């Protein structure tokens, strides 16, 4: 097929550089902002396309894939790909790509930023000032948790978990982590990180719990009532992975009852909906899924996803496309 005959759907506006790159290769259609967040519209349209560049909010279900008569590749504009039924795609011979590595540093910075903002009560203190309540320096105002010497427990010590650990170490924190398997010894040494085989044991020990794992059947609602009850009452929770790793109902209750001291959440189980009890919870930072949101990173994400699309449509072998998700 001549390249111009390829049709590529980008489900919503992304950096122009990526769109232009793909336009050199085929006919590109870009959905409007927020488009394709439901299965129905994708099911209607997908049969026309050879490649889909989708967002983490695009539900690429088995039904969608079944309608992809011409579909050769689904490239996610994200590192997490729980929105795609990868198994079904592979069964149908459709390749799937994600965007590892390029967002690691932006996400590491962001997790550290969330922790600093949460532990030092930036949000409440700023609101206090804006409300005209700042009447002079207060020796007992907005006292927070100092990070040096505290223990950060990371669940999911992949690239992003390591990037956060690296920054937290520079702030004098002790690092413990839980993962399916321990990371290489040299990485542990570099981060001064200790492996804890039981995630409940880790939750018991840490002052800050950070979720950096993918959403899978095993990690769904991993942070539940039982785990929250184990945590220290001064502990803080940071989540930049996926909302459904937390049972939000249980978390809201723990926050309202001060069973833990606060949470910084970038992700939610039913984005863009936020559990109403989280909206009213004390010491809670709620952000609209922006961990990778820097100009540089979003351009790099687009480029990596687009390169996988071009490589697949050009018929390159899988081993030459590093960001293809393997079977
Ligand atoms: C991703 O790419 O999966 C992340 O959610 C970015 O924040």
């Amino acid at each position: 097929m001549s390249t111009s005959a390829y049709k590529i759907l980008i489900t919503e506006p992304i950096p122009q550089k990526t769109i232009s790159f793909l336009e050199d290769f085929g006919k590109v259609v870009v959905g409007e902002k927020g488009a394709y967040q439901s299965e129905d519209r994708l099911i209607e349209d997908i049969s026309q396309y050879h490649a889909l560049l989708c967002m983490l909010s695009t539900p690429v279900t088995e039904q969608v894939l079944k309608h992809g008569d011409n579909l050769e590749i689904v490239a996610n504009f994200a590192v997490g790909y729980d929105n795609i039924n990868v198994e079904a795609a592979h069964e149908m011979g459709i390749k799937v790509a994600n965007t590892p590595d390029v967002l690691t540093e932006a996400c590491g910075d962001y997790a550290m930023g969330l922790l600093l903002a949460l532990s030092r009560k930036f949000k409440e203190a700023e609101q206090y000032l804006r409300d005209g309540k700042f009447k002079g320096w207060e020796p007992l105002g907005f006292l927070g948790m100092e990070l040096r010497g505290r223990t950060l427990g990371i669940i999911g010590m992949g690239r992003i978990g390591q990037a956060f650990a690296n920054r937290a170490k520079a702030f004098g924190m002790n690092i413990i982590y839980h993962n399916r398997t321990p990371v290489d010894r040299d990485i542990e040494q570099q981060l001064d990180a200790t492996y804890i085989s039981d995630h409940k044991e880790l939750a018991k020990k840490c002052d800050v719990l950070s979720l950096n794992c993918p959403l899978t059947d095993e990690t769904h609602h991993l942070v539940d009532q039982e785990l929250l009850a184990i945590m220290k009452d001064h502990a803080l929770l940071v989540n930049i992975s996926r909302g459904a790793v937390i049972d939000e109902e249980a978390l809201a209750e723990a926050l309202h009852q001060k069973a833990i001291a606060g949470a910084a959440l970038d992700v939610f189980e039913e984005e863009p909906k936020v559990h109403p009890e989280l909206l009213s919870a004390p010491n809670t930072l709620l952000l609209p899924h922006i961990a990778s949101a820097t100009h540089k990173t979003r351009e790099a994400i687009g480029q990596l996803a687009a390169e996988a699309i071009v490589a697949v449509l050009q018929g390159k072998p899988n081993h030459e496309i590093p960001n293809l998700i393997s079977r």
Side-chain angles (χ1 to χ4, degrees), residues 113-280:
L114 287 186
L115 176 54
L116 286 168
L118 182 66
S119 63
R120 299 301 298 273
K121 305 181 190 290
F122 285 3
K123 190 186 80 172
E124 288 79 3
E126 204 230 17
Q127 194 57 51
Y128 180 82
L129 181 145
R130 285 180 187 273
D131 291 346
K133 294 178 181 162
F134 178 40
K135 303 292 182 208
W137 186 80
E138 297 173 39
L140 296 177
F142 300 101
L143 305 185
M145 181 201 285
E146 193 151 322
L147 299 181
R148 184 162 296 276
R150 294 291 190 167
T151 297
L152 169 64
I154 294 183
I155 296 186
M157 197 56 135
R159 304 173 189 86
I160 296 173
Q162 289 170 34
F164 185 23
N166 194 25
R167 286 153 177 81
K169 185 183 169 227
F171 278 78
M173 297 190 80
N174 308 313
I175 314 295
I176 58 177
Y177 75 98
H178 172 77
N179 212 30
R180 268 171 305 189
T181 50
V183 297
D184 289 349
R185 196 73 201 104
D186 57 330
I187 296 175
E188 276 190 348
Q189 275 169 357
Q190 218 179 300
L191 297 171
D192 256 333
T194 306
Y195 180 67
I196 311 276
S197 59
D198 178 5
H199 71 281
K200 291 184 186 158
E201 208 42 48
L202 175 123
K204 206 183 283 177
K205 287 191 162 121
C206 61
D207 302 298
V208 177
L209 179 63
S210 173
L211 305 175
N212 298 97
C213 52
L215 174 63
T216 62
D217 290 344
E218 289 76 49
T219 62
H220 182 264
H221 286 194
L222 184 89
V223 177
D224 58 7
Q225 200 179 20
E226 191 194 339
L227 197 88
L228 288 158
I230 291 171
M231 288 171 70
K232 297 175 182 174
D233 57 9
H234 67 255
L236 301 172
L237 176 66
V238 177
N239 188 14
I240 65 164
S241 63
R242 285 294 179 267
V245 177
I246 296 177
D247 174 347
E248 291 176 344
E249 182 90 29
L251 173 61
E253 198 181 323
L255 288 163
H256 280 284
Q257 296 190 345
K258 307 232 164 38
I260 66 167
L265 310 174
D266 184 51
V267 285
F268 304 91
E269 180 154 15
E270 289 183 35
E271 284 173 26
K273 282 192 219 143
V274 179
H275 193 294
E277 297 296 320
L278 284 176
L279 288 169
S280 58

Side-chain angles (χ1 to χ4, degrees), residues 56 77-80 99 103 107 240-242 266-267 289-292:
L56 53 82
F77 190 89
V79 65
T99 62
L103 43 69
C107 291
I240 65 164
S241 63
R242 285 294 179 267
D266 184 51
V267 285
H289 206 149
I290 55 168
S292 68

